[in-house]
Structures are given as C-alpha cells and as structure tokens.
Amino acid sequence: EAQVTQNPRYLITVTGKKLTVTCSQNMNHEYMSWYRQDPGLGLRQIYYSMNVEVTDKGDVPEGYKVSRKEKRNFPLILESPSPNQTSLYFCASSLWGGTLAKNIQYFGAGTRLSVL
Amino acid sequence: AQSVSQHNHHVILSEAASLELGCNYSYGGTVNLFWYVQYPGQHLQLLLKYFSGDPLVKGIKGFEAEFIKSKFSFNLRKPSVQWSDTAEYFCAVTNYGNNRLAFGKGNQVVVIP
C-alpha cells in the first residue's frame, strides 16, 4: 500500500531535549516536505527536499533541521525544542515533475508534538 | 510568494444545505490548485484538483470546484451536505516552477444532523 509513514504519532517532551520525527515513503517520490499545522494558521511549510541531498527552507524553518540521505526518508530534527514548537506536524511526498509539476502531495497521518 | 485566502473560517450548516467555500490566490501565473479535506483526527486527503482544461472539476463525495482565472479563485461547492462532511477544508496552490504548496488557513465546517 502506498503511504507516508510518520513516527511517533504523539510526543511529549521538555524544552531543550533534542528529538527527531521520522518520515518514510514507499512511492519512490523525489519530493518530500514537512509542514506544521496550527489553529487559525493552516499549514505552513518548514522544509522541503527535491531529491537526495537537496533540501531547502520553507516558510517557517527556524528551530528545525532536516536531512535527506536516502530517497525514502526525510527526518525532521528539533535540536533544542521550545514551547512555541508545540504543533501538529505533517510530512508529505510527491513526484517531482519539474516546471509544471502536475504532482499530488500525499500526507502522513501527522505527529502531535507538545513541548513543555 | 504565493498566498491563499479562505474566508469564513467557521461554517455551521444543517444537513441537506448547500456549501460553498471561497478560495483566492495571489499569484497570477500558471498554477495548480487543490482542495484537501481533514476529517477529525485524520490526515489530509485530496478532495479534488485542477491542473488544466475544464475549469469545473469534480472530486470525491459529490464535491466540485470552479477555477475562475480572471478572479484568481477556486471555490469549492457541494449542493447537499451530510453530517459526514464535518471536517476542515484547505485550499492549496502550487506555483509554476516549483512544487511548494501554499495553503489557506482552512474552513472548519460543521454539519448539524
């Protein structure tokens, strides 16, 4: 079954304790992305990757890191989490078609993070 | 940068009523347009999309959307809603030349039985 898998689904942590949220897709997609969803703000892009070793900042990258060492995996790293990073996080993936990409992004089930 | 506007964040209506959600985007060039739906506690699912061709697109569960290029709009409609349509609806746009989705802030729709 084609899917985007995020782990963990729920996470409670404390300020400053490094954490990683994993994202894996089995569709051989080139493009992967992380979003955070906050009430009244919709989804905002944190980082994205167009292929292995190619990553770039989205709209709200501060406080986050990513890596893309393998095509299927795109982990989100919070080196020193703070309470304002409490949010619902979604990973997504799609094909990457270049200039007029008719590509649909598929979303993972989400990770609800609370930073105390 | 592309921006997407959705109005009337909270919508409450009765079953069998008609639903229309507005979506406007800022970038006037070539775009791909999407509506995603998020049912309570679930992830985003694609409701419908527009890439090119007929500006009236039909999606799942009886939803449709109309692309009006001159108005930079992509409004979502359903003639008769059901309780199971209670969800949050997001309009999203990708710019020509990249795959970055810009989302609107969403419409929280509650359908009362």
Side-chain angles (χ1 to χ4, degrees), chain A residues 16-99:
Chain A
K17 185 175 181 183
K18 180 180 178 180
L19 66 91
T20 299
V21 183
T22 64
C23 175
S24 178
Q25 51 91 6
N26 62 1
M27 295 170 278
N28 202 34
H29 285 166
E30 294 88 3
Y31 184 92
M32 298 185 75
S33 181
W34 277 102
Y35 300 86
R36 59 177 289 173
Q37 182 181 10
D38 301 290
L41 297 178
L43 280 85
R44 294 176 292 168
Q45 191 178 45
I46 303 170
Y47 269 96
Y48 65 98
S49 169
M50 289 185 284
N51 216 323
V52 175
E53 303 291 3
V54 182
T55 64
D56 206 350
K57 296 177 181 179
D59 299 313
V60 288
E62 293 78 20
Y64 303 95
K65 284 176 56 178
V66 293
S67 69
R68 189 90 182 273
K69 292 183 170 53
E70 304 167 282
K71 197 172 186 180
R72 63 182 290 123
N73 296 324
F74 190 46
L76 179 69
I77 303 156
L78 285 71
E79 294 269 2
S80 183
S82 62
N84 65 11
Q85 292 178 298
T86 293
S87 187
L88 179 59
Y89 291 86
F90 288 101
C91 180
S93 75
S94 74
L95 293 169
W96 171 239
T99 51

Side-chain angles (χ1 to χ4, degrees), chain A residues 31 35 37 40-43 45 48 57-59 88 90 94-96 99-105 107-109, chain B residues 9 30 32 34 36 38 41-44 46 49 51-52 88 90 94 96-101 103-105:
Chain A
Y31 184 92
Y35 300 86
Q37 182 181 10
L41 297 178
L43 280 85
Q45 191 178 45
Y48 65 98
K57 296 177 181 179
D59 299 313
L88 179 59
F90 288 101
S94 74
L95 293 169
W96 171 239
T99 51
L100 189 57
K102 298 183 178 181
N103 302 322
I104 298 167
Q105 292 195 25
F107 285 80
Chain B
H9 182 65
T30 304
N32 295 334
F34 306 85
Y36 282 86
Q38 185 178 31
Q42 295 189 26
H43 63 288
L44 277 80
L46 183 66
K49 63 189 183 296
F51 294 143
S52 63
E88 191 155 18
F90 293 95
T94 57
Y96 180 90
N98 67 61
N99 206 26
R100 295 184 59 189
L101 270 175
F103 282 89
K105 294 182 179 180

